[in-house]
């Protein structure tokens, strides 16, 4: 049986190189078209994905705008009336612009004594100021005058010694060797500002008592005054025992609580004229004018005992706190300078610590 005949085109395809080339070219073009279509599909997918991302970001920003658009975050204009009211009510003040109490303000009342004595309404620690130096008076019409009370070193206005002078806004009055008072009318906002400035410069931010800088300045003045006038002055240095352990065990917030609570406790045991300052992390100092060593030791022992028995309660847990104290006393010029005065108290403080802590050490024991 004869095999079927082959068509003319089939034989031509098998044996014609031109036909084979056309088929190859056809398939190559087809592959290229498929690749281009795949690339276009990929680009479209990326584009759609980016659109989705932008849509999501817009939704987030819209949500944030909605959160910030509530009533609690809107700017509200209020309080302007109260502020302008404060500006209208001005009071007369005497402001210390030179001297040991620079920045301190005293609101003028009907009658105020100026001097070094503790009972003076304007009490200034300047050895050149008499105990009862001058008097400030305000009459029923608001006029303010200052009168000298026969002071040793006098009262001066613009370099001229005065007996009596009616004060005007901006007047500067010198009393003593270094103290200058400025008379000024201030509103409550200015008063608050000046008070904040004074507190920032002289007080410890955590405890509210005097800071180290103020202590150093006052120690120099107290020491110099005591030497000139042969006055007895005592110094107590104290340190909290194992304070680092308090921080490590209960945390630094508990440590800050102990510092504040203990400071308030000690402050209640002191006189108004005593100077109490924080001079380090857990280190404190007390300047005691006209207090001899025996009485300084008694006070230090009372402070030690008060702290020892006090219940420092932090988050329901009692923290046991004790302190060690060292006392030195300036009498009859027994110290060359204030550095030796402090160093002696510091040596007694370390003696108390090395002897077991929670005790007072001085030359008496």
């Amino acid at each position: 049986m004869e095999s079927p005949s082959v068509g003319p085109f089939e034989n031509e395809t098998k044996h014609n190189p031109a036909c084979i080339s056309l088929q190859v070219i056809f398939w190559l073009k087809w592959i290229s078209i498929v690749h281009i279509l795949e690339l276009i599909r990929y680009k479209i997918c990326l584009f759609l994905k980016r659109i989705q991302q932008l849509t999501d970001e817009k939704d987030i920003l819209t949500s944030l705008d909605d959160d910030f658009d509530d009533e609690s975050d809107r700017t509200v204009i209020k309080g302007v009336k109260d502020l302008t009211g404060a500006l209208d009510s001005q009071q007369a003040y005497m402001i210390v612009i030179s001297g040991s109490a620079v920045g301190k303000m005293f609101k003028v009342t009907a009658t105020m004594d100026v001097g070094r004595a503790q009972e003076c309404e304007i009490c200034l620690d300047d050895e050149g100021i008499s105990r009862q130096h001058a008097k400030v008076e305000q009459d029923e019409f608001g006029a303010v005058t200052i009168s000298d009370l026969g002071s040793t070193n006098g009262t001066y206005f613009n370099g001229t010694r005065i007996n009596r002078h009616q004060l005007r806004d901006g007047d500067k009055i010198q009393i003593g060797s270094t103290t200058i008072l400025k008379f000024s009318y201030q509103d409550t906002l200015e008063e608050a500002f000046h008070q904040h400035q004074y507190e920032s410069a002289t007080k410890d931010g955590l405890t509210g008592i005097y800071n180290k800088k103020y202590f150093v300045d006052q120690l120099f003045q107290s020491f110099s005054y005591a030497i000139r006038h042969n006055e007895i002055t005592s110094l107590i240095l104290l340190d909290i025992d194992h304070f680092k352990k308090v921080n490590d065990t209960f945390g630094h917030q508990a440590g800050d609580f102990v510092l504040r609570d203990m400071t308030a406790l000690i402050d209640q045991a002191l006189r108004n004229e005593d100077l109490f300052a924080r001079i380090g992390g857990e280190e404190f100092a007390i300047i005691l004018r006209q207090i001899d060593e025996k009485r300084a030791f008694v006070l230090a022992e009372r402070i030690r005992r008060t702290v020892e028995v006090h219940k420092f309660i932090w988050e329901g847990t009692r923290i046991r706190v004790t302190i060690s104290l060292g006392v030195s006393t300036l009498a009859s010029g027994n110290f060359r300078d204030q550095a030796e005065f402090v160093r002696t108290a510091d040596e007694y403080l370390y003696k108390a610590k090395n002897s077991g802590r929670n005790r007072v050490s001085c030359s008496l024991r």
Side-chain angles (χ1 to χ4, degrees), residues 137-343:
E137 298 174 289
Q138 186 175 39
D139 64 22
E140 56 185 301
F141 303 105
V144 180
T145 58
I146 185 168
S147 305
D148 188 78
L149 297 178
S151 63
T152 302
N153 294 314
T155 302
Y156 294 82
F157 170 67
N158 289 344
T160 303
R161 188 163 183 167
I162 59 172
N163 291 321
R164 182 180 175 85
H165 174 74
Q166 182 169 337
L167 294 170
R168 294 174 177 81
D169 193 14
D171 281 355
K172 298 178 181 66
I173 304 296
Q174 179 177 346
I175 57 176
S177 55
T178 63
T179 301
I180 298 177
L181 299 172
K182 179 181 178 180
F183 177 72
S184 178
Y185 287 98
Q186 305 275 311
D187 55 56
T188 54
L189 295 179
E190 291 172 315
E191 178 192 6
F193 171 75
H194 283 292
Q195 185 64 27
H196 174 73
Q197 294 292 95
Y198 177 74
E199 296 285 339
S200 298
T202 61
K203 298 294 182 70
D204 174 62
L206 177 65
T207 61
I209 62 174
Y210 290 110
N211 58 26
K212 184 176 181 178
K213 181 183 181 303
Y214 189 81
F215 164 76
V216 172
D217 293 342
Q218 292 300 309
L219 179 66
F220 175 79
Q221 293 190 25
S222 298
F223 186 90
S224 300
Y225 182 86
I227 291 294
R228 289 194 185 99
H229 298 274
N230 196 27
E231 184 179 276
I232 295 175
T233 298
S234 291
L235 174 66
I236 299 176
L237 296 183
L238 65 95
D239 187 278
I240 301 177
D241 299 327
H242 302 297
F243 185 68
K244 184 178 183 301
K245 186 177 179 181
V246 173
N247 283 329
D248 292 343
T249 304
F250 300 97
H252 288 278
Q253 288 186 334
D256 290 346
F257 160 75
V258 169
L259 289 171
R260 287 192 298 266
D261 205 19
M262 188 200 72
T263 299
L265 199 64
I266 295 175
D267 199 39
Q268 293 175 0
L270 302 177
R271 305 171 301 172
N272 291 333
E273 57 267 37
D274 298 332
L275 191 146
F276 185 28
R278 184 186 181 195
I279 59 175
E282 66 272 21
E283 300 171 359
F284 299 83
I286 306 171
I287 299 176
L288 305 168
R289 283 189 171 182
Q290 298 180 340
I291 297 292
D292 59 24
E293 188 172 23
K294 183 177 180 180
R295 289 193 293 164
F297 173 80
V298 171
L299 174 62
E301 180 61 30
R302 183 163 65 245
I303 290 172
R304 183 202 66 78
R305 180 60 180 163
T306 300
V307 173
E308 181 185 27
V309 300
H310 182 71
K311 294 182 179 179
F312 295 88
I313 306 298
W314 173 255
E315 294 183 346
T317 301
R318 180 179 180 181
I319 303 175
R320 296 193 176 275
V321 178
T322 61
I323 58 175
S324 299
L325 307 91
V327 181
S328 63
T329 300
L330 172 64
S332 303
N334 55 332
F335 296 116
R336 293 189 304 272
D337 52 34
Q338 65 267 20
E340 184 181 7
F341 187 32
V342 174
R343 185 167 57 251

Side-chain angles (χ1 to χ4, degrees), residues 8-19:
F9 292 104
E10 187 174 350
N11 288 332
E12 186 178 358
T13 301
K14 288 182 178 180
H15 302 288
N16 191 341
C19 290

